[in-house]
Amino acid sequence: MTATTARNRMLGHVITAEQFDRDLLDVLFRRATALDGVRDDRLAHRIMATLFYEPSTRTRLSFESAMLRLGGAVIGTEAARTFSSAIKGETLEDTVRMVSTYADLIVLRHDEAGAAARAASVASVPVVNAGDGPGEHPTQALLDLYTIERELGRVEGVRVAFCGDLRFGRTARSLALLLALYPGVRMTFVAPPVIQVGGDILARLEARGVECRLAEQLTDVLDDVDVVYQTRVQKERFTDPLEYEQARTAIRIDGAIMRQLPATAIVMHPLPRVDEIAPEVDADPRAAYFRQAANGVAIRMALLEMLLA
Amino acid sequence: MTATTARNRMLGHVITAEQFDRDLLDVLFRRATALDGVRDDRLAHRIMATLFYEPSTRTRLSFESAMLRLGGAVIGTEAARTFSSAIKGETLEDTVRMVSTYADLIVLRHDEAGAAARAASVASVPVVNAGDGPGEHPTQALLDLYTIERELGRVEGVRVAFCGDLRFGRTARSLALLLALYPGVRMTFVAPPVIQVGGDILARLEARGVECRLAEQLTDVLDDVDVVYQTRVQKERFTDPLEYEQARTAIRIDGAIMRQLPATAIVMHPLPRVDEIAPEVDADPRAAYFRQAANGVAIRMALLEMLLA
Amino acid sequence: MTATTARNRMLGHVITAEQFDRDLLDVLFRRATALDGVRDDRLAHRIMATLFYEPSTRTRLSFESAMLRLGGAVIGTEAARTFSSAIKGETLEDTVRMVSTYADLIVLRHDEAGAAARAASVASVPVVNAGDGPGEHPTQALLDLYTIERELGRVEGVRVAFCGDLRFGRTARSLALLLALYPGVRMTFVAPPVIQVGGDILARLEARGVECRLAEQLTDVLDDVDVVYQTRVQKERFTDPLEYEQARTAIRIDGAIMRQLPATAIVMHPLPRVDEIAPEVDADPRAAYFRQAANGVAIRMALLEMLLA
C-alpha cells in the first residue's frame, strides 16, 4: 500500500490504535514532525468539539492546543452527561448527531468501551476516540510510539521493558500491539504476578513474532533495554498490603535505577505519575516523560490535519 | 414598516419571541439562509460571553458554533452561580454590569423567568436570552419557525399538530404564538387533558384569528397536517402511571405513524427526545429534527450578525 | 533603572505585587492605557492556559477577554483538581510542567499560598498568579492602583480610606503596599477593631514614610479623602451579631455618604459587593467600581503583551 492510499484510509475516524498499519504510522509521524512548532491558520474556520462524558483535562487540553496551533477553533464540554441527565435518557447517538451539526470534528471521551465506534456510526463528521473507558485510547498509543521513534531514531529492533499494571492498564497493552508492527522488537514485562500482562496479549504478540519475556524486578532487566515504559500500580489491585509494597519497590525508578540504566536508554510514562518515578529522576536527560507529553500535541496536530485539511 | 426599520428595532436585545414581527422575521430568515455554511471573519475581534446559570450544553454549543463561524471569539461559564455562591449574594445585575466590560454581547441562561429582561436593563452590551426558566427561549422559537419555512417553503396556511406536554412546555407555546403572525395557519393540539394546552393560549391564538382544534390521539389528525411538532411528556405530570402510559402511546411517533403521515409533511422535535419518537423514524426524510438543530446555528449566526455587525 | 531594564525584569513571571517598582508600574500603566480598546492580532497563535484549582469565573473571564482582544487563544479549566483527583497525587509541579508543553503562558489560580511561586519554579513558560489562597493576587492590586491613577490623574499625594475587612482581606493590604511606592500618599484604615489592619502592615507602611491613621466610622474621615476603597465584611469574623451590625453600618456607603464625599473623590470596590455599597450609589459618576473592573482587562492585556510579545 502506498502512503497515499494509507492516508486515504485515514480519512474516516480514529477509533482504535489497531486501525493503523506501518504505512499510515509513517505518514502520521512524518506529519507530526513537520508540524512540531508550527503555528498557522491552516485549519482556520474549522471547529472541533471536545465531547467529554468524564473529565480528562490533560487529554482535552492537549487536543485543544493542537487545534488552536493550526488556527482552528474549539467548542466543548467536560460535562457531556448534561445532555442526558435532565431527561434521563438522550442517547449518545442523538447527542453525536446533534453535535455533528455544530462542529467539523468530534473528540469523544466516554466511560464505556465501544462508545467511540457507536459515535462514529452515526456522526456526519470525523470522530476521534479520546479514551472510551476500559476500551481504547489510540492517540495515547500513537504518541507513545512516536516518542520512541523520535527519541531513539528508530522503532525496529528496540528493546522495551513495560513496568507496572500490565494486566488492567490499557496504555502498555496498546503500545505493545503497535510495536508488534515493527520487526525485531523485543519486550519484557516487569510486574508481580497479580498485575502481570495477560496470556491473551502475550499470545497475540508471539503470533506476530515478538520475542517476549516476563520479570518481577526491574533491576533484573535494566542492562538489556532501550526503553523503560513505566505505569502506575494501583493499590486496589492487591489484597495484601505487604505484597503491594514489594511490587511497588520492585519496579520503582529512582537515582539508583538510573545509574544502572544504559546511557542511551529512555524512561517513559503516560502521566500522571505518583511515586513510581522519583522526582530526582526528572533532571536526567533520559527522563523522556515530559517530552512525551509534548509529543502528544504534535501527534494530535497531525491527526487533525489529516482528518480536516 | 420597512425591512430597514425592522432591523433597526432589532439592535437592542433578544429577550422574547414576541418582540419579533413579520418584517423582522423576514429579515432574520433571509440573513440565516444567506449565512448558512458561511465561515469568515466578519465578527473578528468581537467577544461573546455565554453566561449560564444552569448548564444547557446544547444551547451553549450552538451559540458558540455560530459565533466562531463568523470569526468571533467566546468566553463563558456554565457555572455562573460561582459569581455569587462564595459570598451569598452578588446580584445578577452586578454580574451583568461586570461581564459587559469583558464582552461585546452576553448570551444569558437563567432559571428564573424575567432574568433576561433584568439583565438587559443594566447591560451596556446586547443581551440574548438563551432561556430564562419557565419564561422564554426565543432563539428556540425562531429556529423552529425558520425550520418550517425552510422545509415547506412557506409558513402561511400551514397546518401544525403540536403533541406532548403543551401545558408546561414552553417551546410549543412560543412557536404557536409566532405562527399566529402568519395568515391561514391552522393548529391542532394533541395531548391528554392533564397536559393539554392552556385556555389562555387558545384565547390569544383565536383572538389573532387562528383556527385551533384539540385532539387526544395523533392518529386522528395525521391526514390533515403539514408539520407534527412533537415534544417530550414528563412522567411527573401524571398522578396515575396507567394514564401516563396511555398518553405516551397516544402520541408516540413510530413507523406506523410515518406510513399514515402525508408524503410532504415533516416531523419536528426541539430535542432531546427520549422515546416519543422511535429510532426507526430517523432515517425517514420527513424526520426534520436534526436539520432543525442545524438550523439553530444559522439562526444564531443571523442574530449575532444583526446585533454586532 | 530605565524603563527598558524595568521591562526586561518583567519578562519572567507575575507572582507578587511587590515585584513591581515605580518604573515597572509606569511602563505597565502606559501600556494598559495604550491597549485600552485595542482589538488586534498581536498575540495571534499564542496560547494562554487558565489553570484554576478553584473557580474564579470573574478573574478567569477578565484574563480570557484580555487574551482574545490581542488575538490570542485560550485553553483552560476551572477544575484543575481533576489532574490529580483520580489518582490522589499528581503534584502541582508535574501538572505545570505538562501544561507548559501545551501553552505559551499559564494563569494559575490556587487555594494555597505560595502555589504560584512553586509553579514558576518548574514552568518553562511564564506563570501569572491569579490568586493563591491567602497569599497574593497581584493583578487585582495592579488594576486597583491603575484605576486610581486613571481616575484621579495621579497617585502621588492621594488620600485613601480603606474600609471593611482590613485584617483578613488581601486586596486592601496589597494595594496599600503598592501605594507606598508613591511619595505623599496618606492612608486611613476604617474598620472596627476586630477586623482592623494588622500592626505588621502599619509598621511596613510607616517604615516607608506613609502617614497612616485609624478610624471606626467612615463619616469621620470623608472630608479628607480622594479614594474610598470599600471591601466586604464577613459576618463570620464576628462573635457578637450586634457588633457585626454596628460595624457594617459604620462603613456602609449609601446616598447620605455620597452627599458628604468630596465632588472629586471616587469610590472603589474589588467586587463582588453585597450590601456594603447601596445600589443607589451606582448611578453616581464617582462610583468607579465597574470602571475598575473594566480596567482589569486593560491591565491584563498589558501584562500579557509584556510577557508574550
Side-chain angles (χ1 to χ4, degrees):
Chain A
M1 189 173 58
T2 67
T4 307
T5 60
R7 183 176 157 159
N8 286 344
R9 280 184 50 204
M10 182 67 198
L11 296 171
H13 308 279
V14 176
I15 305 303
T16 166
E18 296 190 54
Q19 78 187 75
F20 291 82
D21 60 19
R22 271 297 300 275
D23 287 323
L24 191 48
L25 290 169
D26 286 347
V27 172
L28 178 68
F29 293 172
R30 272 204 304 278
R31 290 309 304 150
T33 299
L35 289 170
D36 192 34
V38 161
R39 307 283 180 114
D40 64 19
D41 290 314
R42 72 185 68 193
L43 296 185
H45 304 121
R46 314 305 293 272
I47 299 173
M48 177 182 90
T50 49
L51 185 58
F52 278 46
Y53 281 78
E54 58 180 17
S56 178
T57 310
R58 184 183 315 273
T59 300
R60 180 174 61 79
L61 295 185
S62 178
F63 270 106
E64 294 184 3
S65 181
M67 187 66 177
L68 293 170
R69 284 171 196 223
L70 298 175
V74 177
I75 59 176
T77 180
E78 278 194 343
R81 296 237 165 267
T82 60
F83 283 116
S84 58
S85 66
I87 59 150
K88 300 187 186 71
E90 184 173 37
T91 61
L92 171 65
E93 283 81 356
D94 271 16
T95 303
V96 166
R97 281 188 189 100
M98 189 192 56
V99 176
S100 290
T101 73
Y102 300 163
D104 302 304
L105 178 139
I106 296 173
V107 178
L108 178 75
R109 173 82 168 205
H110 205 278
D111 54 340
E112 291 170 23
R118 284 169 53 207
S121 72
V122 298
S124 53
V125 299
V127 170
V128 179
N129 185 0
D132 52 356
E136 289 264 353
H137 190 4
T139 60
Q140 177 71 47
L142 294 170
L143 78 88
D144 287 344
L145 184 63
Y146 177 60
T147 298
I148 293 174
E149 187 186 88
R150 196 161 174 166
E151 293 278 332
L152 302 181
R154 73 188 192 287
V155 178
E156 300 195 0
V158 297
R159 297 162 298 168
V160 181
F162 293 98
C163 302
D165 186 348
L166 307 179
R167 181 176 303 270
F168 303 99
R170 67 185 168 196
T171 55
R173 188 181 61 210
S174 292
L175 175 57
L177 291 170
L178 274 185
L179 281 167
L181 296 174
Y182 294 77
V185 172
R186 281 175 287 164
M187 306 185 192
T188 308
F189 298 90
V190 188
V194 67
I195 53 172
Q196 185 52 281
V197 66
D200 56 326
I201 300 293
L202 281 180
R204 288 176 65 183
L205 293 171
E206 284 165 355
R208 295 190 191 172
V210 178
E211 190 182 308
C212 295
R213 215 172 22 145
L214 303 186
E216 289 198 33
Q217 291 280 344
L218 186 50
T219 46
D220 292 344
V221 309
L222 276 179
D223 297 337
D224 190 34
V225 296
D226 301 303
V227 176
V228 178
Y229 190 94
Q230 176 71 295
T231 66
R232 187 161 46 90
V233 173
Q234 290 179 278
K235 201 171 182 175
E236 307 86 86
R237 305 293 185 205
F238 293 81
T239 46
D240 179 353
L242 185 68
E243 201 184 343
Y244 166 70
E245 276 309 308
Q246 287 170 341
R248 217 170 53 80
T249 310
I251 62 165
R252 185 163 189 268
I253 300 176
D254 57 13
I257 292 284
M258 295 305 281
R259 281 187 288 281
Q260 198 188 331
L261 188 74
T264 57
I266 58 168
V267 176
M268 296 175 61
H269 192 298
L271 301 182
R273 55 115 174 237
V274 189
D275 63 353
E276 62 274 11
I277 299 179
E280 70 202 38
V281 176
D282 298 354
D284 193 300
R286 296 168 295 174
Y289 29 93
F290 292 113
R291 296 193 297 272
Q292 184 182 352
N295 287 337
V297 177
I299 281 291
R300 288 165 180 132
M301 290 170 83
L303 287 170
L304 294 173
E305 189 201 44
M306 291 170 86
L307 291 164
L308 286 173
Chain B
M1 189 173 58
T2 67
T4 307
T5 59
R7 182 176 158 160
N8 286 344
R9 280 184 50 202
M10 182 68 197
L11 297 171
H13 308 280
V14 177
I15 305 304
T16 167
E18 296 188 54
Q19 78 188 74
F20 291 83
D21 60 19
R22 271 295 302 277
D23 287 323
L24 191 48
L25 291 169
D26 287 346
V27 172
L28 178 68
F29 292 173
R30 273 203 303 276
R31 290 310 305 152
T33 299
L35 289 171
D36 191 35
V38 161
R39 307 284 180 113
D40 64 18
D41 290 314
R42 71 185 69 192
L43 295 186
H45 304 121
R46 314 304 293 271
I47 299 174
M48 177 182 89
T50 50
L51 186 58
F52 278 45
Y53 282 78
E54 58 182 15
S56 178
T57 311
R58 184 181 315 273
T59 301
R60 179 173 62 79
L61 295 185
S62 178
F63 270 107
E64 294 184 2
S65 180
M67 187 66 177
L68 294 170
R69 284 171 197 223
L70 299 176
V74 177
I75 59 176
T77 180
E78 278 194 343
R81 296 237 165 268
T82 59
F83 283 115
S84 57
S85 67
I87 57 148
K88 298 187 186 71
E90 185 174 36
T91 61
L92 171 65
E93 283 81 356
D94 272 15
T95 302
V96 165
R97 282 187 189 101
M98 188 191 57
V99 176
S100 290
T101 73
Y102 300 162
D104 302 303
L105 178 139
I106 296 173
V107 178
L108 178 75
R109 173 81 167 205
H110 206 277
D111 54 340
E112 292 169 22
R118 285 169 53 206
S121 73
V122 299
S124 54
V125 299
V127 171
V128 179
N129 185 359
D132 52 355
E136 290 263 354
H137 190 3
T139 59
Q140 178 71 47
L142 294 170
L143 77 89
D144 288 343
L145 184 64
Y146 177 61
T147 298
I148 293 174
E149 186 186 89
R150 198 164 173 163
E151 293 280 331
L152 302 181
R154 72 187 193 288
V155 179
E156 300 196 359
V158 298
R159 296 161 300 168
V160 182
F162 292 99
C163 302
D165 186 348
L166 307 179
R167 181 176 302 270
F168 304 100
R170 67 185 168 197
T171 56
R173 188 181 59 210
S174 291
L175 176 56
L177 290 169
L178 274 185
L179 281 167
L181 296 174
Y182 294 78
V185 172
R186 280 175 287 163
M187 305 185 193
T188 308
F189 297 90
V190 189
V194 67
I195 54 171
Q196 186 50 282
V197 66
D200 55 328
I201 300 294
L202 281 180
R204 288 177 65 183
L205 293 171
E206 285 165 355
R208 295 191 192 172
V210 179
E211 191 182 305
C212 295
R213 216 172 20 145
L214 302 185
E216 289 199 33
Q217 290 279 343
L218 186 51
T219 47
D220 292 344
V221 308
L222 276 180
D223 297 337
D224 191 34
V225 296
D226 301 304
V227 176
V228 178
Y229 190 95
Q230 177 69 294
T231 66
R232 187 161 46 91
V233 173
Q234 289 179 280
K235 203 172 182 174
E236 306 86 84
R237 305 294 186 204
F238 293 81
T239 47
D240 179 354
L242 186 68
E243 201 184 345
Y244 166 69
E245 276 309 307
Q246 288 170 341
R248 216 170 53 81
T249 310
I251 61 164
R252 186 162 187 269
I253 300 175
D254 57 13
I257 292 284
M258 295 307 281
R259 282 188 288 281
Q260 200 189 327
L261 188 74
T264 56
I266 58 168
V267 176
M268 295 174 63
H269 191 298
L271 301 181
R273 54 111 176 242
V274 189
D275 63 354
E276 61 274 11
I277 300 179
E280 71 201 38
V281 177
D282 297 354
D284 193 302
R286 294 168 296 174
Y289 29 93
F290 292 114
R291 297 194 295 273
Q292 184 183 353
N295 288 337
V297 177
I299 281 290
R300 286 164 182 134
M301 290 169 82
L303 287 170
L304 293 174
E305 189 200 44
M306 290 170 86
L307 291 165
L308 285 174
Chain C
M1 188 171 61
T2 67
T4 307
T5 60
R7 182 175 159 160
N8 285 344
R9 279 185 50 203
M10 182 69 198
L11 296 171
H13 308 280
V14 177
I15 305 304
T16 166
E18 297 188 54
Q19 77 188 75
F20 292 82
D21 60 20
R22 271 297 301 276
D23 287 323
L24 191 47
L25 291 169
D26 286 346
V27 172
L28 179 68
F29 293 173
R30 272 202 305 276
R31 291 310 305 151
T33 299
L35 289 171
D36 191 33
V38 161
R39 307 283 182 114
D40 64 19
D41 290 314
R42 72 186 67 193
L43 296 185
H45 304 122
R46 315 305 293 270
I47 299 174
M48 176 182 89
T50 49
L51 186 59
F52 277 47
Y53 282 77
E54 59 181 16
S56 178
T57 310
R58 182 183 316 273
T59 301
R60 180 173 62 80
L61 294 185
S62 178
F63 270 106
E64 294 185 3
S65 180
M67 187 66 177
L68 294 170
R69 285 171 195 222
L70 298 176
V74 177
I75 59 176
T77 180
E78 278 194 343
R81 296 238 166 265
T82 60
F83 283 115
S84 58
S85 66
I87 59 150
K88 298 188 187 69
E90 184 173 35
T91 60
L92 170 66
E93 283 80 356
D94 271 15
T95 302
V96 165
R97 281 188 189 101
M98 188 191 56
V99 176
S100 290
T101 73
Y102 300 163
D104 303 302
L105 178 139
I106 296 173
V107 177
L108 178 75
R109 173 83 167 204
H110 205 278
D111 54 339
E112 291 170 23
R118 284 169 53 206
S121 73
V122 298
S124 54
V125 298
V127 170
V128 179
N129 185 0
D132 53 354
E136 289 264 354
H137 190 2
T139 60
Q140 178 71 48
L142 294 169
L143 78 88
D144 287 344
L145 183 64
Y146 177 59
T147 298
I148 293 174
E149 186 186 88
R150 197 163 172 163
E151 293 278 331
L152 302 182
R154 72 186 194 289
V155 178
E156 301 196 358
V158 297
R159 297 161 298 168
V160 182
F162 292 99
C163 302
D165 185 349
L166 307 179
R167 181 177 303 269
F168 303 100
R170 68 185 167 197
T171 56
R173 188 182 58 209
S174 291
L175 176 57
L177 291 169
L178 274 185
L179 281 167
L181 296 174
Y182 294 77
V185 172
R186 281 175 286 163
M187 306 184 192
T188 309
F189 298 91
V190 188
V194 66
I195 52 172
Q196 185 51 283
V197 66
D200 55 328
I201 300 294
L202 281 180
R204 288 176 65 184
L205 293 171
E206 285 166 355
R208 294 190 193 172
V210 179
E211 190 182 308
C212 296
R213 213 170 26 144
L214 303 185
E216 287 198 35
Q217 292 279 345
L218 187 48
T219 47
D220 292 345
V221 308
L222 277 180
D223 299 337
D224 190 33
V225 296
D226 301 303
V227 177
V228 177
Y229 190 94
Q230 177 68 295
T231 66
R232 188 160 47 89
V233 173
Q234 290 179 281
K235 202 171 180 172
E236 306 87 85
R237 305 294 185 207
F238 293 80
T239 47
D240 179 354
L242 185 67
E243 199 184 346
Y244 165 68
E245 275 310 307
Q246 288 170 340
R248 218 170 53 81
T249 310
I251 61 164
R252 187 164 186 266
I253 300 176
D254 57 13
I257 292 285
M258 295 305 282
R259 281 188 289 281
Q260 198 189 330
L261 189 73
T264 56
I266 58 168
V267 175
M268 295 176 62
H269 191 298
L271 301 180
R273 55 116 175 237
V274 190
D275 64 354
E276 62 274 13
I277 299 178
E280 71 202 39
V281 176
D282 297 354
D284 192 302
R286 294 168 296 173
Y289 30 93
F290 292 114
R291 297 192 296 273
Q292 184 182 354
N295 287 337
V297 177
I299 281 290
R300 287 163 181 134
M301 291 169 81
L303 287 170
L304 293 174
E305 189 200 44
M306 290 170 85
L307 291 164
L308 287 174

